[in-house]
Amino acid sequence: WAYELHSSDEHQALMLVSDICHEGLHQLHQFHSKDPDDKWENHFDRWQALWFNEGWAEYLGGGVQFDPSSDRAEWNGMPRRRVAHLKLLRDTGMPRMPLRELVQQDSFEALRRWIGNWIGLLHQDEEVPDTALALMNDTSQGSLHVKTFYAQAWFLAYFMNEYDDGKYRPKYLDLVLTALRGKLKPEAYRKNKSVKEHWPSAYEAFVEIMGIKGDEDWKKLQRQHDGFLKKTLRD
């Protein structure tokens, strides 16, 4: 379908290919987290970690790019629409959710409340850029909180896998494998598959796997993330 569609609507075809691959990643997650004693249980969903589930699917699936001129699809990990939205936030002066808060979000309602709060604060600030106010008041933009979340969730996955030649990639892989194995801690599933030591939430798993001890570690990670984001959008 996507292959045939590009001749009549190139933009729609590009988005469709990314969507198919994104949803396909969710299916693979579900299949590989199947528990023999609890068939088709998706440990990714059990965690209810939107930033983790959607960011991973968008990095691997949404990062597939279809080139109508060659009828080929290639992966580069950078979905066009997420990059475009992050550039929009940058150019309009809109704030982004700090990592420490992003990795604690467990529902779209929580995201809506968070973004609604800063939109309200921005409206009270006389120094809000006109471009930001125009974006907030433009109903054609659709669900601003959803677009902002998906863009940030994607970039967190991209950052964890690509920053400093993959510095954090092994830790991110531990997070993925932990979810696939029913939230078991890495040392538990590596040494003894019968051990049921696990984290109750993806946030707690993220903090321990990343070795975050307190505020200074969060600030350091945020600086690395923000610097890499600036470089990525500039390049």
Side-chain angles (χ1 to χ4, degrees):
W1 182 19
Y3 179 85
E4 295 297 333
L5 184 61
H6 81 264
S7 61
S8 60
D9 190 334
E10 179 178 319
H11 176 73
Q12 189 176 354
L14 293 173
M15 293 302 98
L16 181 59
V17 170
S18 293
D19 285 341
I20 290 173
C21 294
H22 174 109
E23 298 305 330
L25 256 295
H26 284 315
Q27 289 185 315
L28 286 175
H29 291 163
Q30 187 176 56
F31 178 81
H32 287 290
S33 62
K34 182 178 180 180
D35 185 337
D37 299 321
D38 192 6
K39 292 184 177 181
W40 298 108
E41 178 62 54
N42 187 342
H43 301 307
F44 283 83
D45 287 346
R46 186 185 289 176
W47 251 348
Q48 294 186 357
L50 289 174
W51 60 272
F52 183 51
N53 298 348
E54 301 301 340
W56 183 236
E58 194 64 7
Y59 170 63
L60 286 180
V64 174
Q65 305 295 332
F66 177 61
D67 181 4
S69 64
S70 64
D71 287 334
R72 293 179 62 86
E74 294 184 354
W75 178 86
N76 66 5
M78 297 185 67
R80 290 183 178 92
R81 55 185 166 184
R82 308 310 176 196
V83 174
H85 190 76
L86 288 174
K87 285 183 177 180
L88 181 65
L89 296 182
R90 177 199 63 187
D91 295 343
T92 56
M94 300 280 275
R96 288 174 287 104
M97 185 179 291
L99 291 180
R100 192 172 191 170
E101 295 189 51
L102 180 65
V103 297
Q104 295 183 69
Q105 302 304 311
D106 60 2
S107 70
F108 281 112
E109 183 56 38
L111 290 162
R112 186 180 292 109
R113 287 196 300 270
W114 190 92
I115 292 180
N117 287 339
W118 61 246
I119 287 179
L121 291 174
L122 285 176
H123 273 299
Q124 299 171 19
D125 188 344
E126 294 180 358
E127 297 181 0
V128 177
D130 291 340
T131 49
L133 289 174
L135 177 61
M136 289 185 290
N137 294 322
D138 183 2
T139 57
S140 68
Q141 289 295 327
S143 301
L144 180 61
H145 69 286
V146 172
K147 291 181 179 180
T148 299
F149 160 72
Y150 269 86
Q152 287 196 236
W154 158 69
F155 191 77
L156 176 54
Y158 185 78
F159 165 74
M160 292 290 290
N161 283 278
E162 306 297 336
Y163 174 74
D164 196 12
D165 294 325
K167 174 181 178 179
Y168 294 125
R169 190 178 300 141
K171 294 183 177 182
Y172 194 81
L173 182 58
D174 264 346
L175 197 61
V176 174
L177 293 177
T178 291
L180 288 173
R181 287 163 172 78
K183 305 180 292 184
L184 289 179
K185 294 186 178 184
E187 59 270 24
Y189 62 67
R190 286 190 181 123
K191 295 177 182 177
N192 184 347
K193 295 185 184 300
S194 67
V195 174
K196 296 301 181 183
E197 184 184 12
H198 65 276
W199 286 285
S201 74
Y203 172 74
E204 291 172 301
F206 183 89
V207 168
E208 188 167 333
I209 287 176
M210 292 296 293
I212 297 174
K213 304 300 183 183
D215 292 344
E216 290 307 312
D217 289 333
W218 277 114
K219 290 177 182 177
K220 178 182 177 181
L221 189 65
Q222 187 73 57
R223 286 195 301 269
Q224 293 174 341
H225 172 277
D226 293 350
F228 190 58
L229 175 60
K230 288 180 181 179
K231 180 180 183 301
T232 300
L233 297 184
R234 183 175 65 247
D235 294 346

